[in-house]
Amino acid sequence: MSTAAATAALRTGAPETEGFVDTYQALAAPVVNQLAGQDFRAQWQAMADLGVLKLAAPEATAPGPVTRSLAMIEGIGLAGADPGLCYALASQIFGMQFPLRDALGADAWRAVADVQEGRELLCHALTERGGGSDPFSMETRARRDGDGFVLDGAKTFITAAPVADRAIVFARTAEGRSPFALSAFLFPLDLPGIRRGETFTKTALPTVPMGELLFEGARLPASALLGQEGSGLAVMASTTAWERSLVLGYALGPMRRLLARTVDWAAERDHFGRRMGASHQVAGRISEMALALHRSRVQLYAMAARLDAGTPARQLAAGAALTKISVSEDYVRMTEHATALSGVRAFLPGFDLAADLAAPMAALTYAGPNDLLRVGVARQLGLPVEN
């Protein structure tokens, strides 16, 4: 049974959206086979050459620009593109490119739009070793100096930092926990005073590199400032809402592939004198996997539709958090079901049923730990809860 046949009943999107998924699956399939063993930048460029990083014009319809990008990510994942590569692409597209296009305006966006060609790569530098998820504990500082800024500090756990060409960096421009104490900057990483720190070896999504950026008296031009001085928290709210809304789109392709190969296994495996799939318990687990995938697709494409309709990302903060929590936890549950059905083969790398347990578990943490996101949702519901 093919991947398409195993999930045909779950094609619940509009025909034009499903067509984009199919198109990018077909485009990516031969490229994926050629990329085995190549480094991250080569894989990134190959996907960019297919048009995955290009944002459709804001006025595009049927499907809209956000939905198109989500369908592209699902399609290349369905073709077998590395999940880490799909994650990094989704993170840049939804966590950086779309919010930057919204924030910069047409002229300023054109100056950085070459990232859509894949020749330059962005990274998002927010986290510090001592700060975790609390932005007001930030120690990186940008002080006014003439007509620009001087940046000092360090950022860590940054996706793509070892290979990125430009960075969105958040820094303190005033003291205290005022909502106007932080500012956001966008600048190239080849400026004097900028170094790349440690590169981390990861157990989850190891294909995409992660590292640190160190700033030692780095002089930034005034044009590096995103928005107004003191608007960093607003920029952060936009980028995080965008990312939480849609970054888990990277998991849709791997989830569909996981369901397809589990269905194949259950349909063909002889078990106690009958096909394994004839067991009600097995059928129940596979139906739960299908439910998790269906729920995830519906939620992610619903968020894309709301963004395509012009809803500001900051107004979707609660929905974005709930979507990220739901899809990441469904990804974990789906993998647990597949692992239970595959038995020992799930833990043997040489078998087609080998399970990737680390990537789904990591989804519970990136773009904000789910426990912390639950607190934020409760606060928006009116509960007097603190972090």
Side-chain angles (χ1 to χ4, degrees):
M1 180 181 294
S2 69
T3 301
T7 58
L10 303 178
R11 291 169 63 89
T12 54
E16 57 269 18
T17 300
E18 299 293 353
F20 260 87
V21 176
D22 294 342
T23 296
Y24 274 85
Q25 180 187 3
L27 287 172
V31 177
V32 167
N33 293 331
Q34 298 166 8
L35 289 177
Q38 295 197 33
D39 65 22
F40 176 76
R41 283 302 292 251
Q43 295 183 50
W44 181 271
Q45 189 62 58
M47 293 298 111
D49 290 344
L50 296 180
V52 173
L53 289 168
K54 289 186 178 179
L55 307 187
E59 61 271 16
T61 58
V66 184
T67 300
R68 289 184 190 213
S69 289
L70 179 58
M72 291 178 191
I73 293 294
E74 181 178 5
I76 65 170
L78 191 54
D82 180 85
L85 176 64
C86 294
Y87 165 73
L89 289 163
S91 180
Q92 175 166 306
I93 292 167
F94 301 121
M96 290 175 264
Q97 288 183 203
F98 272 110
L100 280 176
R101 187 169 76 171
D102 285 353
L104 294 179
D107 292 339
W109 166 246
R110 276 193 289 271
V112 298
D114 53 353
V115 297
Q116 298 175 102
E117 306 300 325
R119 289 184 287 275
E120 293 211 346
L121 200 153
L122 294 171
C123 67
H124 188 278
L126 171 62
T127 303
E128 300 183 1
R129 289 212 176 194
S133 299
D134 177 12
F136 290 112
S137 66
M138 190 177 297
E139 294 186 358
T140 298
R141 282 172 166 75
R143 58 179 174 82
R144 278 280 186 182
D145 187 71
D147 60 352
F149 296 84
V150 175
L151 184 66
D152 289 281
K155 298 291 182 177
T156 194
F157 305 140
I158 308 163
T159 295
V163 295
D165 302 288
R166 303 183 192 183
I168 300 172
V169 177
F170 296 85
R172 181 175 290 283
T173 48
E175 298 304 318
R177 299 182 69 86
S178 162
F180 307 107
L182 308 179
S183 298
F185 301 87
L186 172 63
F187 51 85
L189 292 174
D190 59 358
L191 298 176
I194 300 175
R195 293 190 294 115
R196 299 176 203 267
E198 182 178 356
T199 296
F200 301 104
T201 300
K202 300 185 297 172
T203 58
L205 305 177
T207 304
V208 54
M210 174 183 281
E212 296 183 315
L213 293 175
L214 310 177
F215 311 107
E216 299 166 340
R219 187 171 295 276
L220 308 180
S223 59
L225 183 66
L226 285 176
Q228 302 297 315
E229 185 173 342
S231 67
L233 201 62
V235 174
M236 190 186 311
S238 176
T239 59
T240 54
W242 268 100
E243 185 173 37
R244 288 169 184 169
S245 294
L246 294 165
V247 72
L248 263 294
Y250 94 88
L252 292 179
M255 289 168 80
R256 289 179 67 175
R257 290 171 64 85
L258 179 62
L259 177 62
R261 72 172 183 254
T262 306
V263 169
D264 283 348
W265 168 249
E268 298 169 3
R269 165 94 165 150
D270 286 328
H271 195 65
F272 295 108
R274 61 179 180 177
R275 292 301 172 97
M276 182 176 166
S279 162
H280 286 198
Q281 290 176 313
V282 172
R285 280 191 182 270
I286 288 178
S287 293
E288 287 296 322
M289 292 175 68
L291 177 60
L293 173 59
H294 172 72
R295 188 163 48 220
S296 297
R297 284 196 94 218
V298 168
Q299 289 180 93
L300 287 163
Y301 279 101
M303 291 301 292
R306 294 183 71 184
L307 288 160
D308 277 331
T311 306
R314 291 180 64 189
Q315 293 182 17
L316 298 176
L322 290 168
T323 300
K324 190 266 176 178
I325 292 168
S326 180
V327 178
S328 62
E329 294 182 358
D330 270 339
Y331 192 12
V332 171
R333 279 190 289 268
M334 192 174 182
T335 307
E336 289 173 343
H337 284 304
T339 302
L341 293 172
S342 303
V344 70
R345 292 167 180 80
F347 305 100
L348 300 176
F351 284 76
D352 290 341
L353 294 169
D356 179 2
L357 300 174
M361 289 297 294
L364 306 178
T365 298
Y366 49 64
N370 284 4
D371 285 348
L372 190 61
L373 297 189
R374 283 182 164 88
V375 171
V377 170
R379 187 183 299 114
Q380 291 189 55
L381 292 173
L383 296 181
V385 61
E386 299 180 0
N387 285 336

